[in-house]
Amino acid sequence: MHEILQPEGWAKPVGYANGVAARGRLIFVGGQVGWNGQCKFETDDFVGQVRQTLQNIVAVLAEAGAEPRHITSMTWYFTDKAEYLANLRGLGEAYREVIGRHFPAMAAMQVMALVEDRAKVEIQATAVIPE
């Protein structure tokens, strides 16, 4: 469906791809945060917010007939790098629970703040539904 781009001789990345080539209908998911469909935060737990954020992405994708396997790239923004690194195991579990074992091209970065004060993470995604 999508071609993973892995240059020869490079170490294989864990939990993401260096690049993805795809053809088809493009789906752009705006930055999602860890609140529910009524814009209410149900938790201040970092992993809980990531899980909800991923579920929100899946819900938006479904509106276009897309699934998590169609995601080609994700950009993660979080407010605390130390909290992100301290929760890698839980993040991996939440990711696999919602997205599965599909690992698109990804970038992750700490930001000073997010627009929603209570948000600890925001994730933007791009997906391609094959032609």
Side-chain angles (χ1 to χ4, degrees):
M1 177 171 54
H2 297 113
E3 177 187 358
I4 301 299
L5 305 175
Q6 178 63 25
E8 187 175 333
W10 283 27
K12 186 175 180 193
V14 177
Y16 67 96
N18 285 306
V20 177
R23 247 180 224 189
R25 181 172 173 223
L26 299 174
I27 312 299
F28 300 95
V29 180
Q32 298 295 306
V33 296
W35 59 19
N36 63 27
Q38 287 68 51
C39 301
K40 306 276 190 227
F41 287 94
E42 296 177 4
T43 184
D44 289 316
D45 174 70
F46 186 76
V47 173
Q49 284 198 15
V50 167
R51 180 179 287 106
Q52 181 65 59
T53 301
L54 294 171
Q55 290 169 342
N56 294 347
I57 290 168
V58 170
V60 173
L61 290 173
E63 288 298 306
E67 300 175 13
R69 65 190 175 102
H70 296 123
I71 298 170
T72 55
S73 71
M74 299 176 93
T75 304
W76 294 51
Y77 306 93
F78 41 81
T79 57
D80 187 338
K81 177 182 169 185
E83 187 172 31
Y84 172 85
L85 293 173
N87 285 285
L88 290 177
R89 179 175 297 238
L91 291 173
E93 290 171 5
Y95 184 91
R96 288 186 302 276
E97 173 189 311
V98 179
I99 304 297
R101 292 195 169 274
H102 171 71
F103 303 106
M106 288 193 208
M109 65 200 77
Q110 178 176 305
V111 294
M112 182 178 290
L114 296 167
V115 172
E116 296 301 327
D117 289 334
R118 200 166 157 192
K120 294 184 172 205
V121 63
E122 184 169 332
I123 303 174
Q124 184 175 14
T126 302
V128 179
I129 301 174
E131 299 173 329

